[in-house]
Amino acid sequence: MKITYNWLKQYVDFDASPEELVKQLTMLGLEVDSVVAECINFDGIVVGHVTDKQSHPDADKLSVCQVDVGSEICTIVCGAPNVDIGQNVPVATVGTRLPGGLKIKKSKIRGVESYGMICSEMELGLSEASDGIMILDSNLEIGSPFQDVLGEPDYLLDVDVTPNRPDCFGILGIARDIAADANSKFQRPLVKLEESIKSVKDTIKVSIHDSDKCPRYTARFIGNVEVKPSPLWLVRRLQQIGIRPINNIVDITNFVMMETGQPLHAFDYGLIEGHEIQVRCADDGEMFTTLDGKKHTLNSDNLLICDNAKSVALAGIMGGQNSEVSDKTVNVLLESAYFDPVNVRRSAKSLGISTESSKRFERGVDPNGVDYALDRAAQLIAELASGEVAKGIADEYPKQIRPITLSLRPGRVKLLLGVEVPTITIKTVLSNLGFGVDGDDVLAVVVPTFRPDVTREADLIEEVGRVYGYDNIPADFSAVVQQNAPVHEMQQTEALVKTTLAGFGFSEVVTYNLVSKKSALLFASEDQHVYLINPLSEDLSTLRPNLLVSLLNSVRWNRNRSIKDLKFFELGTAFSVESERPVEHQRLTGIVTGNLQEKSWRGESSPVDFYTIKGFVEHLLQRCHMPQPRFELQESLSVCSNGLVVYCENEAIGSFGELSTHVLKTFDIEQPVFYFDLDFAPFEKYGAGNTSFEPIPKFPFVHRDLALVVAETVAAQDVLTEVETSAGPLLSNVHVFDVYRGAQVDEGEKSLALGLTFISHERTLKEKEIDKQMAKVLRAMEAKFSAHLRA
Amino acid sequence: MAESVEMLMQELDEVHDAFQQEIRGVKDLALLDDVRVKYLGRKGRVARYFSKMGQIEASQRPQFGNRLNELKQELTDAVASHQQSLHSNNNSGPRDFDLTLPGITPTLGFRNPLMIVMDEIKQIFANMGFTVETGPLVEDEYYNFEALNVPPDHPSKDLQDTFYLPNGLLLRTHTSPVQVRTMECQDLPIRIIAPGRCFRKDTPDATHSPEFHQVEGLVIGEGISLSHLKGTLVAFARKLFGRQTQVRFRPSFFPFTEPSAEMDIYFDERLGWLEILGSGMVDPNVLDGVGIDSEKYTGFAFGMGVERLAMLKYRIDDIRHFYDNDMRFLSQF
């Protein structure tokens, strides 16, 4: 809601500066989005009077004017078609700099000397476009500064009105809040209407066919209006608040709407057939053309204003072309009504129209304020368009909406706000806001119908609180308990997993859950996906089947910026379809690509490979206290080459491996990418808090190496397992430190170099007993794998 | 009088110590030469003892002579090596060892600043006694709107443009459904926060993202007031933004709280007051809806946008940075 500082001053007395006003409104809950000073410099621009106008001898479209600027009469060449003798106009004298920056100089235009410029509103910076020069009131003093014509410099405020305050969609509502804040009574402008002897009954008949959708409809007849441009003050006011002036009748309806919050509509009475208004629902499929020339197909939920033969307006939303006020209009039918908020909202939404009018109706106007707005507008039409207002109002009000009464306990105010507000203060605040207040222990509060948001005691307490001032409510820390809450186990596991991966050099990414359908289809078939009904775009249309899609997007983003060595992880949600409701899975997913380490001058960077990702997975699981994992070849997934499924306690918890090139191609990635994708639930199950200390051996360990030659087909894992079983309880660790193929090893065979570590917690081990164990191991190797020692 | 050999031997030790002391502080070659002359010169402190050889009893001469020769050699070596070290310092080391080459970068992992701030918020509230609750991202009209006092066809729904799924489901537009779920199943009093992902149909730009994070809070008990809300949230703001942070509360509107308040912090001269969270006393309709007696119990709720807080804290100018995951962004945190 746009208002101006000077405009507000017309309705309520206050001393606050514009900055103070902004603060005051904000602390009342009427947040000010922006405040702009209208600081246009009009120095050197004066009111001039056109005394003579001749055609330019050498240019058809120019005229040579004589303009009295008070101190002298200047010759000015003017190109505007609307300039004429006898007009008062704004003149920029020689030496003036216009708001747009143009400096006015004495100049020769097509051979004729020109001393100044007659200005349009656009040239003065008052509007964004204008048809010709600006024409001023005829009673202004010639030569007086143009600034005086406009009045004091003003400030434009944009107030962010919350949906619960329809009353503040008119400046009067805002003025009422300001008055209450200053503890003064608010009085809306008095309307004095001079009515003609002609009765409205002889001119308009109103009938409402759906009183649920239209509980009240009022109308007035105003005859013999003179449709013309509005006076400067009205034009300026509308321009300031961003409304385009049209003609005095339309401008008045807009102005009164911005003043009272009540939308009005003026019909050309001559175009209302039968001089009768029917408020009815549309037929399904009925067509209607709104003022802006757009055709709409209606349904039976849409409410229409009709005459005897046709529909003339979409109730509360927009009028029709067939009955709008024009230059030819003689008589006006002025409408002010209360339409059901929900119905207006539904209609406006389904038709895709949002207007200043619909915005107000759907939030709820004051059903008992429609006649005030009607009278206010009628008065202005009488004044500014010399209209003759017929006697009385055509007022159909089949569904009376009466103020409700609520109980308010001062004790409850204290309980909810945490501060004792004296009952007398409560009463004053509420009555200043327009509520009726009665009683002492329990207050009986009558809620005015312009406050449809107030329906319960809590709503009244908010009214008291915001005017009393949130600043005056003490901050009480006692609800903040000193004792620490037990840390949720999930939070601990999460922290452990994240710090572990960051320690491995993985960076944590945050990505969208919404991905493109195309990328989701890489990982699961169409019927396994969850699609949005109303996506923003194809790129964000599907809930991701896994986090790989999102991580690959992040890889692509970086690769496109020439950053190619990446290690990313994310702990997030993936979605699948298992019944009617999508199932959400917490996944821990990582991706590694490029070089393991940043390239350095030592040249020791090495590209990541399968064993890199395997190492990360093994150590991640170990660091997070997961049970010893088992890895099995992954066969079902086409997205992956060389993939292993991870089992913990016989439960598959995820997989890792190398992503296949057809997947990477979709993301324009032309380098190998390795991934792990794990279910997070097992981490929580086995996860944090299971660390317990193991004593460090007091006795030295014994280390032995063993180089075995085995067939290519023998899996290292099997060899290691066999070593563990055959080496006896003293073996503490066995690892592969070399794999060799080539000279001295036959084709089809490979050499595995194993390092075995033996330890005892009781004694120093003797070489002999280790020799014995090694011999056992070797025998087992020979028996199981036909292995032999490498020569 | 023949001096006692023991005494002379002790003197040699003193000479040795004095020399060591002195040479340690020598930083240039000229001074080093002074030291050399003082101890090893023809009339130096060591030479003096050679001249005393004659006064020593013959049987003890070899022992003293050996010790003296040792000392001379030791000092000579020390001068030589000190000289070398002075030389090499001037030439900044051998040619194949360039100390100015950059160190090898360790493999670094960074955390997305959004998650850093999220953890910080969780920690602050954990220290105040709040426990963490979570809820599903896919919700329905009831938990996301109706139970929170947002009736169908109400303009306040316009504040939150919603993504819909088939079967009347939707992506939650705020973390507030977790409030409802918690109230349904937890015993009173309640003191929880609910961090998590939310969705709104906003086209991405510098300040909007269709996905974002909130942290929701809920406190329900007997006698809980707006004053407690202020106390809790002021404490929070000062933990997150510093002890001197100026905070203000101003009236606002949310369907699920009444009275409602937004909290602003004073950021700086240029930006002034900035909104950081919405809050209010839980609306009686919400309490009654989950079967909590709103006459007996009251409570407050709050919700904050984590992106906004992270942007303020780190002065990040574009919300999309969090989701692009550009390494040049991540590596700053």
Side-chain angles (χ1 to χ4, degrees), chain A residues 732-787:
Chain A
S732 82
N733 176 270
V734 55
H735 69 281
V736 181
F737 68 87
D738 189 36
V739 178
Y740 175 79
R741 296 174 182 88
Q744 298 163 342
V745 175
D746 289 346
E747 188 82 357
E749 292 192 319
K750 63 186 168 191
S751 159
L752 291 178
L754 308 178
L756 288 76
T757 308
F758 295 89
I759 259 176
S760 166
H761 286 278
E762 282 98 39
R763 61 201 159 78
T764 304
L765 293 171
K766 294 190 183 88
E767 290 291 323
K768 262 191 193 160
E769 59 183 327
I770 301 304
D771 289 345
K772 226 164 101 187
Q773 293 304 326
M774 288 302 288
K776 261 191 201 165
V777 170
L778 192 55
R779 275 201 300 279
M781 292 297 118
E782 284 165 355
K784 192 116 191 190
F785 306 113
S786 314

Coordinates of all heavy atoms in Angstrom, one line a residue, chain A residues 732-787:
Chain A
S732 N 48.3 -59.9 14.2 CA 47.5 -58.7 14.5 C 47.1 -58.0 13.2 O 46.1 -57.3 13.2 CB 48.2 -57.8 15.4 OG 49.1 -56.9 14.7
N733 N 47.8 -58.2 12.2 CA 47.5 -57.5 11.0 C 48.1 -58.1 9.8 O 49.3 -58.6 9.8 CB 48.0 -56.0 11.1 CG 47.8 -55.2 9.9 OD1 48.6 -55.1 9.0 ND2 46.6 -54.6 9.7
V734 N 47.4 -58.1 8.6 CA 48.1 -58.5 7.4 C 47.6 -57.5 6.3 O 46.5 -57.1 6.3 CB 47.7 -60.0 7.0 CG1 46.2 -60.2 6.9 CG2 48.3 -60.3 5.7
H735 N 48.6 -57.1 5.5 CA 48.2 -56.2 4.4 C 49.0 -56.5 3.1 O 50.1 -57.1 3.2 CB 48.4 -54.7 4.8 CG 49.8 -54.3 5.0 ND1 50.6 -54.6 6.1 CD2 50.6 -53.6 4.2 CE1 51.8 -54.2 5.9 NE2 51.9 -53.5 4.8
V736 N 48.4 -56.1 2.0 CA 49.1 -56.3 0.7 C 50.0 -55.1 0.5 O 49.5 -53.9 0.5 CB 48.0 -56.4 -0.4 CG1 48.7 -56.6 -1.8 CG2 47.0 -57.5 -0.1
F737 N 51.3 -55.3 0.2 CA 52.1 -54.1 0.0 C 52.6 -54.0 -1.5 O 53.2 -53.1 -1.9 CB 53.2 -53.9 1.0 CG 54.3 -54.9 1.0 CD1 55.4 -54.7 0.2 CD2 54.2 -56.0 1.8 CE1 56.4 -55.7 0.2 CE2 55.2 -57.0 1.8 CZ 56.3 -56.8 1.0
D738 N 52.4 -55.1 -2.2 CA 52.8 -55.0 -3.6 C 52.0 -56.1 -4.4 O 51.8 -57.2 -3.9 CB 54.3 -55.3 -3.7 CG 54.8 -55.0 -5.2 OD1 54.2 -54.0 -5.8 OD2 55.7 -55.7 -5.6
V739 N 51.7 -55.7 -5.6 CA 51.1 -56.7 -6.6 C 52.0 -56.6 -7.8 O 52.2 -55.5 -8.3 CB 49.7 -56.4 -6.9 CG1 49.1 -57.4 -7.9 CG2 48.8 -56.3 -5.7
Y740 N 52.6 -57.7 -8.3 CA 53.5 -57.7 -9.4 C 53.2 -58.7 -10.4 O 52.8 -59.8 -10.1 CB 54.9 -57.9 -8.8 CG 56.0 -58.0 -9.8 CD1 56.5 -56.9 -10.4 CD2 56.5 -59.3 -10.3 CE1 57.5 -57.0 -11.4 CE2 57.4 -59.4 -11.3 CZ 58.0 -58.2 -11.8 OH 58.9 -58.3 -12.8
R741 N 53.3 -58.3 -11.7 CA 53.2 -59.2 -12.8 C 54.4 -58.8 -13.7 O 54.7 -57.7 -13.8 CB 51.9 -58.9 -13.6 CG 50.6 -59.2 -12.8 CD 49.4 -58.8 -13.5 NE 48.2 -59.0 -12.8 CZ 47.7 -58.1 -11.9 NH1 48.3 -57.0 -11.7 NH2 46.6 -58.4 -11.2
G742 N 55.0 -59.8 -14.4 CA 56.1 -59.5 -15.3 C 57.2 -60.5 -15.1 O 56.9 -61.7 -14.8
A743 N 58.4 -60.0 -15.4 CA 59.6 -60.9 -15.3 C 59.6 -61.7 -14.1 O 59.2 -61.3 -13.0 CB 60.8 -60.0 -15.4
Q744 N 60.0 -63.0 -14.2 CA 60.1 -63.9 -13.1 C 58.8 -64.5 -12.6 O 58.7 -65.3 -11.8 CB 60.9 -63.4 -11.9 CG 62.3 -63.0 -12.2 CD 62.9 -62.1 -11.2 OE1 62.2 -61.4 -10.4 NE2 64.2 -62.0 -11.2
V745 N 57.7 -63.9 -13.2 CA 56.4 -64.4 -12.8 C 55.7 -64.9 -14.1 O 55.7 -64.1 -15.1 CB 55.5 -63.4 -12.1 CG1 54.1 -63.9 -11.9 CG2 56.1 -62.9 -10.8
D746 N 55.2 -66.1 -14.1 CA 54.7 -66.7 -15.3 C 53.4 -66.0 -15.8 O 52.7 -65.4 -15.0 CB 54.3 -68.2 -15.1 CG 55.6 -69.0 -15.0 OD1 56.7 -68.4 -15.4 OD2 55.5 -70.1 -14.6
E747 N 53.2 -66.1 -17.1 CA 51.9 -65.6 -17.6 C 50.7 -66.2 -16.9 O 50.8 -67.4 -16.6 CB 51.9 -65.9 -19.1 CG 50.8 -65.3 -19.9 CD 51.1 -63.9 -20.3 OE1 52.1 -63.4 -20.0 OE2 50.2 -63.3 -21.0
G748 N 49.7 -65.4 -16.6 CA 48.5 -66.0 -15.9 C 48.7 -66.1 -14.4 O 47.8 -66.6 -13.7
E749 N 49.8 -65.6 -13.9 CA 50.0 -65.6 -12.5 C 50.3 -64.2 -12.0 O 50.7 -63.3 -12.8 CB 51.1 -66.6 -12.1 CG 50.8 -68.0 -12.4 CD 51.8 -69.0 -11.7 OE1 53.0 -68.7 -11.8 OE2 51.3 -70.0 -11.1
K750 N 50.2 -64.0 -10.7 CA 50.6 -62.7 -10.2 C 51.3 -62.9 -8.9 O 51.1 -64.0 -8.2 CB 49.4 -61.8 -10.0 CG 48.4 -62.3 -9.0 CD 47.2 -61.5 -8.9 CE 46.1 -62.2 -8.1 NZ 44.8 -61.6 -8.2
S751 N 52.1 -62.0 -8.5 CA 52.8 -62.1 -7.2 C 52.2 -61.1 -6.2 O 52.0 -59.9 -6.5 CB 54.3 -61.8 -7.3 OG 54.8 -61.4 -6.1
L752 N 51.8 -61.7 -5.1 CA 51.2 -60.8 -4.0 C 52.2 -60.7 -2.9 O 52.6 -61.7 -2.4 CB 49.9 -61.4 -3.5 CG 48.7 -61.5 -4.3 CD1 47.5 -62.1 -3.6 CD2 48.3 -60.0 -4.8
A753 N 52.6 -59.5 -2.5 CA 53.5 -59.3 -1.4 C 52.7 -59.0 -0.2 O 52.0 -58.0 -0.2 CB 54.6 -58.3 -1.7
L754 N 52.8 -59.8 0.9 CA 52.0 -59.6 2.1 C 52.9 -59.2 3.2 O 54.0 -59.7 3.3 CB 51.2 -60.8 2.4 CG 50.4 -61.5 1.3 CD1 49.7 -62.7 1.9 CD2 49.3 -60.5 0.8
G755 N 52.5 -58.3 4.0 CA 53.2 -58.0 5.3 C 52.4 -58.5 6.4 O 51.2 -58.1 6.6
L756 N 53.0 -59.3 7.3 CA 52.3 -59.8 8.4 C 52.9 -59.3 9.7 O 54.1 -59.2 9.8 CB 52.3 -61.4 8.5 CG 51.5 -62.2 7.4 CD1 52.2 -62.1 6.1 CD2 51.3 -63.6 7.9
T757 N 52.0 -58.9 10.6 CA 52.5 -58.4 11.9 C 52.0 -59.3 13.0 O 50.8 -59.6 13.1 CB 52.0 -56.9 12.1 OG1 52.3 -56.2 11.0 CG2 52.7 -56.3 13.4
F758 N 52.9 -59.7 13.9 CA 52.6 -60.6 15.0 C 52.8 -59.8 16.3 O 53.8 -59.1 16.4 CB 53.4 -61.9 15.0 CG 53.1 -62.7 13.8 CD1 53.9 -62.6 12.6 CD2 52.1 -63.7 13.8 CE1 53.6 -63.4 11.5 CE2 51.9 -64.5 12.7 CZ 52.6 -64.4 11.6
I759 N 51.9 -60.0 17.3 CA 52.0 -59.3 18.5 C 51.5 -60.2 19.7 O 50.5 -61.0 19.5 CB 51.3 -58.0 18.5 CG1 52.3 -56.9 18.2 CG2 50.4 -57.7 19.7 CD1 51.6 -55.6 18.1
S760 N 52.1 -60.1 20.8 CA 51.6 -60.8 22.0 C 51.4 -59.7 23.1 O 52.3 -58.8 23.2 CB 52.5 -61.9 22.5 OG 52.0 -62.2 23.8
H761 N 50.4 -59.8 23.8 CA 50.2 -58.8 24.9 C 50.9 -59.3 26.2 O 50.9 -58.6 27.2 CB 48.7 -58.5 25.2 CG 48.1 -57.7 24.1 ND1 48.2 -56.3 24.1 CD2 47.4 -58.0 23.0 CE1 47.6 -55.8 23.1 NE2 47.1 -56.8 22.3
E762 N 51.4 -60.6 26.2 CA 51.9 -61.2 27.4 C 53.4 -61.3 27.4 O 54.0 -61.3 28.5 CB 51.4 -62.6 27.6 CG 49.9 -62.7 28.1 CD 48.9 -62.9 27.0 OE1 49.2 -63.6 26.1 OE2 47.9 -62.2 27.1
R763 N 54.0 -61.4 26.3 CA 55.5 -61.7 26.3 C 56.1 -61.2 25.0 O 55.4 -60.9 24.0 CB 55.7 -63.2 26.5 CG 55.1 -64.0 25.3 CD 54.9 -65.4 25.7 NE 53.9 -66.0 24.8 CZ 54.1 -66.4 23.6 NH1 55.4 -66.4 23.1 NH2 53.2 -66.9 22.8
T764 N 57.4 -61.2 25.0 CA 58.2 -61.0 23.8 C 58.2 -62.2 22.9 O 58.4 -63.3 23.4 CB 59.6 -60.6 24.1 OG1 59.6 -59.5 25.0 CG2 60.4 -60.2 22.9
L765 N 57.9 -62.1 21.7 CA 57.7 -63.3 20.8 C 59.1 -63.8 20.4 O 60.1 -63.0 20.2 CB 56.9 -62.9 19.5 CG 55.5 -62.6 19.8 CD1 54.8 -62.0 18.5 CD2 54.7 -63.8 20.3
K766 N 59.2 -65.1 20.3 CA 60.5 -65.7 19.8 C 60.4 -65.9 18.3 O 59.4 -66.2 17.8 CB 60.7 -67.0 20.6 CG 60.9 -66.8 22.0 CD 61.3 -68.2 22.7 CE 61.5 -68.1 24.1 NZ 60.2 -68.3 24.8
E767 N 61.6 -65.7 17.7 CA 61.7 -65.9 16.2 C 61.2 -67.3 15.8 O 60.5 -67.4 14.8 CB 63.2 -65.8 15.8 CG 63.7 -64.3 15.9 CD 63.1 -63.4 14.9 OE1 62.8 -63.8 13.7 OE2 62.8 -62.2 15.2
K768 N 61.5 -68.2 16.6 CA 61.2 -69.6 16.3 C 59.7 -69.8 16.2 O 59.2 -70.5 15.2 CB 61.7 -70.6 17.4 CG 63.0 -71.2 17.0 CD 63.3 -72.3 18.0 CE 64.8 -72.8 17.8 NZ 65.2 -73.5 19.0
E769 N 58.9 -69.3 17.1 CA 57.5 -69.6 17.1 C 56.8 -68.9 15.9 O 55.9 -69.3 15.3 CB 56.8 -69.2 18.4 CG 56.9 -67.8 18.8 CD 56.3 -67.5 20.2 OE1 55.2 -68.2 20.5 OE2 56.8 -66.6 20.9
I770 N 57.4 -67.7 15.5 CA 56.9 -67.0 14.3 C 57.2 -67.8 13.1 O 56.4 -68.0 12.2 CB 57.5 -65.6 14.2 CG1 57.2 -64.8 15.5 CG2 57.0 -64.9 13.0 CD1 55.7 -64.7 15.8
D771 N 58.5 -68.4 13.0 CA 58.8 -69.2 11.9 C 57.8 -70.3 11.7 O 57.4 -70.6 10.6 CB 60.2 -69.9 12.1 CG 61.3 -68.8 12.0 OD1 61.0 -67.7 11.5 OD2 62.4 -69.1 12.5
K772 N 57.4 -70.9 12.8 CA 56.4 -72.0 12.8 C 55.1 -71.5 12.2 O 54.5 -72.2 11.4 CB 56.2 -72.5 14.2 CG 56.2 -74.0 14.3 CD 56.4 -74.4 15.8 CE 55.1 -74.9 16.4 NZ 55.2 -75.1 17.9
Q773 N 54.6 -70.3 12.7 CA 53.4 -69.8 12.2 C 53.5 -69.5 10.7 O 52.6 -69.8 9.9 CB 53.0 -68.5 12.9 CG 52.7 -68.7 14.4 CD 51.5 -69.7 14.6 OE1 50.6 -69.8 13.7 NE2 51.6 -70.5 15.6
M774 N 54.6 -69.0 10.3 CA 54.8 -68.6 8.8 C 54.7 -69.9 8.0 O 54.2 -69.9 6.9 CB 56.1 -67.9 8.6 CG 56.1 -66.4 9.2 SD 54.8 -65.4 8.4 CE 55.4 -65.2 6.8
A775 N 55.3 -70.9 8.5 CA 55.3 -72.2 7.8 C 53.9 -72.7 7.6 O 53.5 -73.1 6.5 CB 56.2 -73.2 8.5
K776 N 53.1 -72.5 8.6 CA 51.7 -72.9 8.6 C 50.9 -72.1 7.5 O 50.2 -72.7 6.7 CB 51.0 -72.6 9.9 CG 50.9 -73.8 10.9 CD 50.0 -73.5 12.0 CE 50.3 -74.4 13.2 NZ 49.7 -73.8 14.4
V777 N 51.2 -70.9 7.5 CA 50.6 -70.0 6.5 C 50.9 -70.5 5.1 O 50.0 -70.6 4.3 CB 51.0 -68.5 6.8 CG1 50.5 -67.6 5.6 CG2 50.5 -68.0 8.1
L778 N 52.2 -70.7 4.9 CA 52.6 -71.1 3.6 C 52.0 -72.4 3.1 O 51.5 -72.5 2.0 CB 54.2 -71.2 3.6 CG 54.8 -71.3 2.2 CD1 54.4 -70.1 1.3 CD2 56.3 -71.4 2.3
R779 N 51.9 -73.3 4.1 CA 51.3 -74.6 3.8 C 49.8 -74.4 3.4 O 49.3 -74.9 2.4 CB 51.3 -75.5 5.0 CG 52.7 -76.3 5.0 CD 52.5 -77.6 5.8 NE 52.2 -77.3 7.2 CZ 53.0 -76.9 8.2 NH1 54.3 -76.7 7.9 NH2 52.6 -76.7 9.4
A780 N 49.2 -73.5 4.1 CA 47.7 -73.3 3.8 C 47.6 -72.6 2.4 O 46.7 -72.9 1.7 CB 47.2 -72.3 4.9
M781 N 48.6 -71.8 2.1 CA 48.5 -71.1 0.8 C 48.7 -72.1 -0.3 O 48.0 -72.0 -1.3 CB 49.6 -70.0 0.7 CG 49.5 -68.8 1.7 SD 48.0 -67.9 1.3 CE 47.1 -68.1 2.8
E782 N 49.6 -73.0 -0.1 CA 49.9 -74.0 -1.1 C 48.7 -74.8 -1.3 O 48.3 -75.1 -2.4 CB 51.1 -74.8 -0.7 CG 52.4 -74.1 -0.8 CD 53.6 -74.8 -0.1 OE1 53.3 -75.8 0.7 OE2 54.7 -74.4 -0.2
A783 N 48.1 -75.3 -0.2 CA 47.0 -76.2 -0.3 C 45.8 -75.5 -0.9 O 45.1 -76.1 -1.8 CB 46.6 -76.6 1.1
K784 N 45.5 -74.3 -0.5 CA 44.2 -73.6 -0.9 C 44.4 -73.0 -2.3 O 43.4 -73.1 -3.1 CB 43.9 -72.5 0.1 CG 42.5 -72.0 -0.1 CD 41.6 -72.3 1.2 CE 40.2 -72.0 0.9 NZ 39.4 -72.1 2.1
F785 N 45.5 -72.4 -2.6 CA 45.6 -71.6 -3.8 C 46.7 -72.1 -4.8 O 47.0 -71.4 -5.7 CB 45.9 -70.1 -3.5 CG 44.9 -69.5 -2.5 CD1 45.3 -69.2 -1.2 CD2 43.6 -69.3 -2.9 CE1 44.4 -68.6 -0.3 CE2 42.7 -68.8 -2.0 CZ 43.1 -68.5 -0.7
S786 N 47.3 -73.2 -4.4 CA 48.5 -73.7 -5.2 C 49.5 -72.6 -5.3 O 50.2 -72.4 -6.3 CB 48.1 -74.1 -6.6 OG 47.0 -75.0 -6.5
A787 N 49.7 -71.9 -4.2 CA 50.6 -70.7 -4.2 C 52.0 -71.3 -4.0 O 52.2 -72.3 -3.4 CB 50.3 -69.8 -3.1

